[in-house]
């Protein structure tokens, strides 16, 4: 968090396989949005959206959009 704040980062882009439920809030607490790349698997995309990731970068945007819609339709 300290490094992200010191560098005045606005977003942090990470390979999706290194993100987890604990890391996303830490990045948000540093004032950054979280982007995950390259997410081409719909179940992985859904899990990342549910973890609070702000943006997905994908070679299969239709899968990412379907996962986004599904994750938002789920009651919280």
């Amino acid at each position: 968090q300290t490094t992200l704040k010191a560098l005045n980062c606005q977003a942090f882009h990470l390979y999706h396989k290194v993100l987890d439920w604990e890391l996303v809030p830490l990045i948000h607490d540093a004032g950054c949005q979280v982007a995950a790349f390259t997410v081409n698997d719909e179940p992985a995309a859904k899990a990342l959206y549910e973890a609070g990731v702000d943006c997905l970068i994908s070679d299969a945007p239709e899968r990412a959009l379907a996962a986004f819609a599904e994750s938002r339709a789920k009651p919280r």
Side-chain angles (χ1 to χ4, degrees), residues 2 6-7 14 22 25 28 31-34 40 43-44 46 52 65 67-68 75:
T2 304
L7 293 172
L14 294 161
E22 295 173 358
H28 282 153
C32 293
Q33 291 191 340
V34 181
N40 294 324
K46 184 176 178 251
L65 287 171
F68 178 76

Side-chain angles (χ1 to χ4, degrees), residues 15-42:
Y15 181 53
H16 73 97
K17 292 186 178 182
V18 301
L19 280 170
D20 61 33
W21 289 85
E22 295 173 358
L23 188 56
V24 173
L26 292 174
I27 298 169
H28 282 153
D29 288 346
C32 293
Q33 291 191 340
V34 181
F37 64 86
T38 302
V39 186
N40 294 324
D41 177 63
E42 192 170 329

Side-chain angles (χ1 to χ4, degrees), residues 53-74:
V53 169
D54 301 294
C55 173
L56 292 184
I57 300 164
S58 178
D59 296 323
E62 67 284 350
R63 291 184 205 147
L65 287 171
F68 178 76
E70 189 176 331
S71 71
R72 294 304 184 248
K74 182 179 179 179

